[in-house]
Amino acid sequence: MLMKKIPRSYFQNNNVVFLAKDLIGKKICTYFNDVLTSGIITETEAYSGRNDKACHANAGRRTNRTEIMYQRGGVAYVYLCYGIHHLLNFVTNDEDIADAILVRAIEPVDGVETMLSRRNKRKPDKTLTSGPGTLSQALGITTANYGMELDSDHLWLEEAPDLVKPEDIESTTRIGIDYAGEDALLPWRFYLKSSDFVSKR
DNA sequence: CTAACGATTCGCT
DNA sequence: GCGAATCGTTAGT
């Protein structure tokens, strides 16, 4: 099935919360070492560079790590969490506005054998890609892909294969950001209700 | 230079 | 349910 690649301009939308929800159901693909792996995005979280204490680049915070978030939307922000997990984000909005979307879960589609191998697993189940660290591992994404364009030959997104209606999507508070104070209450996490591949209910 | 810690995961109880 | 794993980033001395 031939699907249309999503252009980088898609990520330049100025509403990161809208985009985080809109990304549910879309397909993310990687092509490393002549192997295609892909999955349907089932869970995301929005982070706003302005007025969001949970965001690494909140209030103009500019470091080597967050620098990529200030680029024009359409590139990857990958960072190492707990010294172990590589977490994948999509940089969105315009230049100098450090919005990003964390991909928290996908439903495997192509290259399941490769994903199993990368994850050191024998059989596919919901633990294969239902979490921000595990899906990155399954797709072969590491901090080496920091700054990679999201319409490149190695990492790209495709239009949703199936229609996802607004009522198919649940919105809740974001995970693991208790340090953000009142911003931890924002309903900026989205997931596909019908999917088994969701990190937490 | 030093120390604390994290947008997590896994194994063990 | 709890705690270890593990290291780059960050802020403070």
Side-chain angles (χ1 to χ4, degrees):
Chain A
M1 180 162 48
L2 191 60
M3 280 290 167
K4 192 179 166 199
K5 185 182 280 191
I6 294 174
R8 262 189 293 164
S9 58
Y10 169 81
F11 299 96
Q12 289 152 22
N13 185 294
N14 66 12
N15 187 336
V16 69
V17 177
F18 163 81
L19 273 185
K21 186 171 182 179
D22 195 63
L23 280 161
I24 301 295
K26 292 194 166 31
K27 192 175 178 185
I28 181 171
C29 312
T30 64
Y31 190 76
F32 298 127
N33 302 311
D34 299 318
V35 179
L36 171 71
T37 50
S38 75
I40 303 301
I41 297 173
T42 54
E43 180 181 347
T44 62
E45 283 177 359
Y47 288 85
S48 171
R50 294 176 171 174
N51 302 317
D52 174 15
K53 294 189 193 64
C55 182
H56 290 162
N58 179 49
R61 200 143 156 263
R62 208 156 186 148
T63 65
N64 279 341
R65 184 179 68 160
T66 63
E67 189 59 32
I68 200 69
M69 298 175 77
Y70 290 85
Q71 278 202 203
R72 175 158 304 192
V75 295
Y77 166 45
V78 187
Y79 76 97
L80 189 63
C81 187
Y82 288 96
I84 306 169
H85 309 292
H86 300 258
L87 272 53
L88 170 66
N89 297 252
F90 302 143
V91 174
T92 74
N93 214 323
D94 209 344
E95 191 175 4
D96 292 327
I97 303 175
D99 292 354
I101 294 166
L102 172 69
V103 188
R104 290 193 55 92
I106 66 172
E107 198 167 308
V109 176
D110 298 301
V112 172
E113 289 303 317
T114 298
M115 294 194 208
L116 285 169
S117 166
R118 286 171 177 155
R119 296 268 300 117
N120 299 311
K121 287 184 174 294
R122 303 292 302 274
K123 293 181 177 179
D125 61 20
K126 64 180 66 175
T127 66
L128 185 60
T129 53
S130 56
T134 60
L135 79 87
S136 295
Q137 187 180 21
L139 290 173
I141 290 168
T142 71
T143 51
N145 302 296
Y146 178 95
M148 181 171 272
E149 295 172 352
L150 296 175
D151 62 351
S152 76
D153 292 335
H154 295 286
L155 172 61
W156 72 94
L157 279 85
E158 295 181 1
E159 293 296 342
D162 297 308
L163 177 66
V164 176
K165 298 191 286 283
E167 57 264 35
D168 299 332
I169 299 172
E170 186 75 68
S171 60
T172 73
T173 54
R174 296 170 291 178
I175 306 291
I177 52 149
D178 293 343
Y179 56 81
E182 62 186 5
D183 291 336
L185 301 175
L186 295 168
W188 286 1
R189 169 177 178 246
F190 302 97
Y191 66 84
L192 191 60
K193 289 180 191 173
S194 61
S195 180
D196 287 334
F197 292 85
V198 171
S199 65
K200 287 186 178 180
R201 299 279 166 183

Short mmCIF file of all heavy atoms in Angstrom, two decimals, chain A residues 111-137:
data_model
loop_
_atom_site.label_atom_id
_atom_site.label_comp_id
_atom_site.label_asym_id
_atom_site.label_seq_id
_atom_site.Cartn_x
_atom_site.Cartn_y
_atom_site.Cartn_z
N GLY A 111 8.19 -4.49 9.48
CA GLY A 111 9.48 -4.84 10.07
C GLY A 111 9.40 -5.33 11.49
O GLY A 111 10.30 -5.06 12.30
N VAL A 112 8.36 -6.05 11.81
CA VAL A 112 8.17 -6.53 13.19
C VAL A 112 9.34 -7.41 13.64
O VAL A 112 9.78 -7.33 14.79
CB VAL A 112 6.84 -7.29 13.32
CG1 VAL A 112 6.72 -7.95 14.69
CG2 VAL A 112 5.66 -6.33 13.10
N GLU A 113 9.86 -8.24 12.73
CA GLU A 113 10.99 -9.10 13.11
C GLU A 113 12.20 -8.27 13.53
O GLU A 113 12.89 -8.60 14.49
CB GLU A 113 11.36 -10.02 11.93
CG GLU A 113 10.35 -11.12 11.66
CD GLU A 113 10.11 -12.01 12.88
OE1 GLU A 113 11.10 -12.38 13.55
OE2 GLU A 113 8.93 -12.32 13.17
N THR A 114 12.43 -7.20 12.78
CA THR A 114 13.54 -6.31 13.12
C THR A 114 13.30 -5.62 14.46
O THR A 114 14.21 -5.49 15.29
CB THR A 114 13.73 -5.25 12.02
OG1 THR A 114 14.05 -5.90 10.80
CG2 THR A 114 14.86 -4.28 12.38
N MET A 115 12.08 -5.20 14.69
CA MET A 115 11.75 -4.56 15.97
C MET A 115 11.97 -5.53 17.12
O MET A 115 12.52 -5.16 18.16
CB MET A 115 10.29 -4.09 15.97
CG MET A 115 9.99 -2.98 14.98
SD MET A 115 8.38 -2.23 15.34
CE MET A 115 7.90 -1.68 13.72
N LEU A 116 11.56 -6.78 16.94
CA LEU A 116 11.75 -7.79 17.97
C LEU A 116 13.23 -7.95 18.27
O LEU A 116 13.65 -8.02 19.43
CB LEU A 116 11.16 -9.13 17.51
CG LEU A 116 9.63 -9.24 17.56
CD1 LEU A 116 9.17 -10.50 16.82
CD2 LEU A 116 9.14 -9.25 19.00
N SER A 117 14.03 -8.00 17.20
CA SER A 117 15.47 -8.16 17.36
C SER A 117 16.08 -6.98 18.12
O SER A 117 16.87 -7.16 19.05
CB SER A 117 16.10 -8.29 15.97
OG SER A 117 17.49 -8.13 16.05
N ARG A 118 15.70 -5.77 17.75
CA ARG A 118 16.23 -4.58 18.43
C ARG A 118 15.81 -4.54 19.89
O ARG A 118 16.52 -4.02 20.74
CB ARG A 118 15.70 -3.32 17.73
CG ARG A 118 16.36 -3.03 16.39
CD ARG A 118 15.62 -1.90 15.69
NE ARG A 118 16.26 -1.54 14.42
CZ ARG A 118 15.61 -0.96 13.41
NH1 ARG A 118 14.33 -0.67 13.51
NH2 ARG A 118 16.26 -0.65 12.30
N ARG A 119 14.65 -5.11 20.19
CA ARG A 119 14.12 -5.08 21.55
C ARG A 119 14.48 -6.34 22.33
O ARG A 119 14.08 -6.49 23.49
CB ARG A 119 12.59 -4.95 21.50
CG ARG A 119 12.10 -3.63 20.89
CD ARG A 119 11.89 -2.54 21.94
NE ARG A 119 10.91 -2.90 22.92
CZ ARG A 119 11.17 -3.03 24.24
NH1 ARG A 119 12.40 -2.84 24.68
NH2 ARG A 119 10.21 -3.33 25.07
N ASN A 120 15.23 -7.25 21.71
CA ASN A 120 15.61 -8.50 22.37
C ASN A 120 14.38 -9.28 22.85
O ASN A 120 14.36 -9.78 23.97
CB ASN A 120 16.55 -8.22 23.54
CG ASN A 120 17.83 -7.55 23.09
OD1 ASN A 120 18.47 -8.02 22.15
ND2 ASN A 120 18.20 -6.45 23.72
N LYS A 121 13.41 -9.36 21.97
CA LYS A 121 12.20 -10.10 22.32
C LYS A 121 11.96 -11.23 21.31
O LYS A 121 12.45 -11.17 20.18
CB LYS A 121 10.98 -9.16 22.35
CG LYS A 121 10.96 -8.25 23.56
CD LYS A 121 9.69 -7.41 23.59
CE LYS A 121 9.60 -6.60 24.85
NZ LYS A 121 9.45 -7.43 26.07
N ARG A 122 11.21 -12.23 21.72
CA ARG A 122 10.90 -13.37 20.86
C ARG A 122 9.58 -13.21 20.14
O ARG A 122 9.44 -13.51 18.98
CB ARG A 122 10.87 -14.66 21.69
CG ARG A 122 12.15 -14.94 22.46
CD ARG A 122 13.30 -15.28 21.52
NE ARG A 122 13.00 -16.44 20.69
CZ ARG A 122 13.20 -17.70 21.07
NH1 ARG A 122 13.69 -17.96 22.26
NH2 ARG A 122 12.93 -18.69 20.23
N LYS A 123 8.57 -12.76 20.88
CA LYS A 123 7.23 -12.65 20.31
C LYS A 123 6.70 -11.22 20.47
O LYS A 123 6.95 -10.58 21.48
CB LYS A 123 6.27 -13.61 21.02
CG LYS A 123 6.56 -15.07 20.76
CD LYS A 123 5.54 -15.94 21.48
CE LYS A 123 5.76 -17.42 21.17
NZ LYS A 123 4.80 -18.29 21.88
N PRO A 124 5.94 -10.77 19.47
CA PRO A 124 5.37 -9.42 19.56
C PRO A 124 4.20 -9.37 20.54
O PRO A 124 3.34 -10.25 20.53
CB PRO A 124 4.89 -9.15 18.12
CG PRO A 124 4.67 -10.48 17.52
CD PRO A 124 5.64 -11.41 18.17
N ASP A 125 4.21 -8.37 21.38
CA ASP A 125 3.05 -8.10 22.24
C ASP A 125 3.05 -6.60 22.53
O ASP A 125 3.82 -5.86 21.93
CB ASP A 125 3.11 -8.92 23.54
CG ASP A 125 4.34 -8.60 24.38
OD1 ASP A 125 4.93 -7.52 24.17
OD2 ASP A 125 4.71 -9.40 25.23
N LYS A 126 2.19 -6.17 23.42
CA LYS A 126 2.01 -4.73 23.62
C LYS A 126 3.26 -4.05 24.20
O LYS A 126 3.41 -2.85 24.10
CB LYS A 126 0.79 -4.46 24.50
CG LYS A 126 0.90 -4.99 25.91
CD LYS A 126 -0.36 -4.68 26.70
CE LYS A 126 -1.57 -5.42 26.14
NZ LYS A 126 -2.79 -5.22 26.96
N THR A 127 4.17 -4.84 24.78
CA THR A 127 5.36 -4.23 25.36
C THR A 127 6.41 -3.89 24.28
O THR A 127 7.40 -3.26 24.56
CB THR A 127 6.03 -5.16 26.39
OG1 THR A 127 6.54 -6.33 25.73
CG2 THR A 127 5.05 -5.58 27.47
N LEU A 128 6.14 -4.31 23.04
CA LEU A 128 7.12 -4.08 21.98
C LEU A 128 7.33 -2.60 21.70
O LEU A 128 8.47 -2.15 21.52
CB LEU A 128 6.68 -4.81 20.70
CG LEU A 128 7.66 -4.78 19.53
CD1 LEU A 128 8.99 -5.41 19.88
CD2 LEU A 128 7.05 -5.47 18.30
N THR A 129 6.25 -1.84 21.68
CA THR A 129 6.34 -0.42 21.27
C THR A 129 5.42 0.51 22.04
O THR A 129 5.14 1.61 21.59
CB THR A 129 5.97 -0.28 19.78
OG1 THR A 129 4.69 -0.89 19.55
CG2 THR A 129 7.00 -0.93 18.87
N SER A 130 4.94 0.09 23.22
CA SER A 130 4.01 0.96 23.96
C SER A 130 4.72 1.68 25.09
O SER A 130 4.55 1.37 26.25
CB SER A 130 2.84 0.15 24.49
OG SER A 130 3.30 -0.94 25.28
N GLY A 131 5.52 2.66 24.71
CA GLY A 131 6.27 3.48 25.65
C GLY A 131 7.27 4.28 24.85
O GLY A 131 7.74 3.81 23.81
N PRO A 132 7.60 5.49 25.30
CA PRO A 132 8.48 6.36 24.52
C PRO A 132 9.89 5.79 24.31
O PRO A 132 10.49 6.01 23.25
CB PRO A 132 8.52 7.65 25.33
CG PRO A 132 8.11 7.26 26.71
CD PRO A 132 7.17 6.12 26.55
N GLY A 133 10.40 5.06 25.31
CA GLY A 133 11.72 4.48 25.16
C GLY A 133 11.70 3.25 24.29
O GLY A 133 12.57 3.05 23.44
N THR A 134 10.68 2.43 24.46
CA THR A 134 10.63 1.16 23.73
C THR A 134 10.33 1.36 22.24
O THR A 134 10.88 0.65 21.41
CB THR A 134 9.57 0.23 24.35
OG1 THR A 134 8.30 0.85 24.29
CG2 THR A 134 9.92 -0.11 25.77
N LEU A 135 9.50 2.35 21.90
CA LEU A 135 9.19 2.53 20.48
C LEU A 135 10.42 3.07 19.74
O LEU A 135 10.66 2.71 18.59
CB LEU A 135 7.98 3.46 20.28
CG LEU A 135 8.16 4.97 20.40
CD1 LEU A 135 8.58 5.62 19.10
CD2 LEU A 135 6.88 5.59 20.88
N SER A 136 11.19 3.91 20.40
CA SER A 136 12.41 4.42 19.78
C SER A 136 13.38 3.28 19.53
O SER A 136 13.98 3.18 18.46
CB SER A 136 13.08 5.46 20.68
OG SER A 136 12.26 6.60 20.81
N GLN A 137 13.52 2.41 20.51
CA GLN A 137 14.39 1.25 20.36
C GLN A 137 13.92 0.36 19.21
O GLN A 137 14.72 -0.08 18.38
CB GLN A 137 14.43 0.46 21.68
CG GLN A 137 15.44 -0.67 21.68
CD GLN A 137 15.46 -1.43 22.99
OE1 GLN A 137 14.49 -1.41 23.76
NE2 GLN A 137 16.55 -2.10 23.27
#
